[in-house]
Amino acid sequence: MQDVNNSPVVDGDWAQVCSHMRDEIGDAAFDSWFKPISVRSVDSGVATISVPTRFMRDWVANNYLDQIRALWCAINKQITNVEISVGNAQGGGILSQASSNAQRQTPSSHRNGGQGMMQGQMQSHQQPQMQMYAPDHRAQPAPTVQVSQSTLADDLGAPLDPRYVFDNFVVGKPNEFAHAAAKRVAEADIPPFNPLFMYGGVGLGKTHLMHAIAHHMREVHPNRTVVYLSAEKFMYRFIRALREQKTVDFKEQFRSVDMLLIDDVQFIAGKDSTQEELFHTFNALVDQGRQIVLSADKSPSDIEGLEDRLKSRLNHGLVADLHATTYELRLGILLSKAEQLGVELPTKVTEFLAHKISSNVRELEGALNRVVAHSQLVGRPITLETSQEVLHDLLRANDRRVTIEEIQKRVAEHFNIRVADMHSARRARSVARPRQIAMYLSKQLTSRSLPEIGRKFGGRDHTTVMHAVKKVGELALHDQDFAEDVELLRRMLGGVG
Ligand code: ADP
Ligand code: MG
């Protein structure tokens, strides 16, 4: 047996194999599957490579071993075979952990191996996978002076998500007000407004901002008691205190905190005694100049079943709403998340996701995680096609029948022209071409007739629509960029691939 550490030839061979493989499968997949591999031995023409886990062995064997063998045999005629074993491989890299984790979490997944590992299994462990690729903020040391305060905070409150910090929050038009208010509160010594009440639809960043405030406050003032919890938890605490006849303790504890953040207060609407208790806690804290931050899915006035005096108190501070995300904000969030994950997303994929997953940030994040996990696991680069494939269930769920108005809006957005130009008589090419594309897509994606489409485009004749459809088809045949643009728009609008 040859000791590989002393064999520049073997090392050189392996480096060449690796270089070919990297070109072949891309950086992400290569880093995932090849970095952890080491060459263990070369014996009588048989090279043995080793990987850290059985899961990896099965994966590499199923997906890459034939190629590795072919390459190596071609590079070095003395090699007749390549085998793979599990062992204490060097190199490590994220994937050595990732795969052992994957193995632990889905013990059956390696049996599927190769291309057999399709979406079902992928989704079942995409969450844990992604957490590993994400930077580990948990490693940040907690301030030491915090001990006694944080004990009380931990007793009363819920743990904070280490990822929910201001630095990871992408600011755009829809959330800039809430973000600015949250920052003010986090950085202020004396409550600038009390309470801060943030509201908005699900998945728009309320919890993220609340945690960010709490993180910041704890960091800057480690000896202050900052308590974050959901309204639901507040209620259960209160009920337990009632049952155990410890309401005095409960009151005292909550009234001694320096900052109280209660998430999703809509939950206690209609729960009279909890509201009552919250109201008193609230008054006590405000009177002592302690900051309160609340969130809900609606504005105080719109939450039904909330007592008027509580509403009025809530409206007393600053009410900041988070609006539905815009395309630009979604793009920004995707870029930021991709960077955190250390992956490079093709622009077309980013645009596609930002257009298609418009419901909320949580879904957007989930979609990105799935696309990245899929690419890393099957060792193929992220493309528009694979993204669509991986997300087809999500996309279908988001799909509705597209209308001509939506097509006009999307196309206008895409080419940066006014929607009104879809109806206008302007004939400049910069508007006429997008208009033709919109007509073409209307024909393709809706069941409207040519005259109907014509009417929706400023009362144009059906022959104009026919001409547009023909023209766009022709241009797409001869101009690759143009064809891609149209294709991208078609996919964004829900056209099946
Ligand atoms: P909500 O509490 O409003 O339902 P969350 O705060 O839980 O929403 O946000 C859902 C997910 O989306 C979280 O993972 C959060 O980090 C992320 N998120 C929301 N808005 C942003 C943003 N502007 N920038 C970065 N991440 C965001
Ligand atoms: Mg929330």
Side-chain angles (χ1 to χ4, degrees), residues 51-66:
V51 290
T53 65
R54 277 172 40 221
F55 174 78
M56 278 202 84
R57 179 198 61 198
D58 294 345
W59 189 268
V60 173
N62 277 317
N63 290 280
Y64 304 119
L65 195 57
D66 287 346

Side-chain angles (χ1 to χ4, degrees), residues 72 117 148 199 201 214 239 267 286 293 373 396 416 422-423 468 476:
W72 208 333
M117 183 156 178
S148 64
Y199 75 92
I239 292 174
F267 182 83
V286 172
V293 182
R396 208 173 31 221
N416 216 0
M422 290 289 164
H423 316 278

Side-chain angles (χ1 to χ4, degrees), residues 3-119:
D3 181 349
V4 290
N5 291 327
N6 296 327
S7 168
V9 177
V10 169
D11 280 350
D13 287 353
W14 179 241
Q16 279 190 56
V17 172
C18 285
S19 149
H20 280 284
M21 290 305 296
R22 188 187 278 278
D23 288 347
E24 175 91 21
I25 65 178
D27 287 346
F30 180 87
D31 288 348
S32 300
W33 301 110
F34 280 77
K35 276 234 173 110
I37 299 179
S38 64
V39 182
R40 176 178 266 192
S41 63
V42 176
D43 190 17
S44 318
V46 179
T48 305
I49 55 176
S50 81
V51 290
T53 65
R54 277 172 40 221
F55 174 78
M56 278 202 84
R57 179 198 61 198
D58 294 345
W59 189 268
V60 173
N62 277 317
N63 290 280
Y64 304 119
L65 195 57
D66 287 346
Q67 257 172 301
I68 295 173
R69 198 174 280 137
L71 280 168
W72 208 333
C73 295
I75 291 164
N76 183 344
K77 293 282 175 275
Q78 287 171 358
I79 300 292
T80 53
N81 199 4
V82 180
E83 286 177 355
I84 182 165
S85 70
V86 182
N88 52 340
Q90 277 118 47
I94 46 166
L95 247 270
S96 57
Q97 295 164 20
S99 30
S100 57
N101 227 348
Q103 186 183 27
R104 198 171 61 234
Q105 270 135 6
T106 52
S108 62
S109 57
H110 68 274
R111 269 182 242 129
N112 290 292
Q115 307 307 333
M117 183 156 178
M118 291 323 286
Q119 265 162 331

Side-chain angles (χ1 to χ4, degrees), residues 247-284:
T247 46
V248 177
D249 291 352
F250 177 88
K251 283 179 207 295
E252 255 173 30
Q253 280 180 329
F254 271 101
R255 287 168 202 190
S256 69
V257 306
D258 295 301
M259 179 185 260
L260 179 64
L261 305 103
I262 301 189
D263 210 348
D264 291 318
V265 296
Q266 75 275 0
F267 182 83
I268 57 159
K271 319 263 186 339
D272 292 344
S273 52
T274 308
Q275 272 193 54
E276 178 85 19
E277 186 53 38
L278 181 65
F279 182 69
H280 291 307
T281 307
F282 192 101
N283 285 339

Side-chain angles (χ1 to χ4, degrees), residues 164 168-170 175 201-208 333 337 361-362 365:
Y164 293 176
N168 289 343
F169 192 83
V170 181
N175 59 27
V202 66
L204 296 182
K206 300 181 294 292
T207 299
H208 190 135
I333 290 173
K337 305 263 174 205
V361 183
R362 191 173 295 130
E365 221 172 26

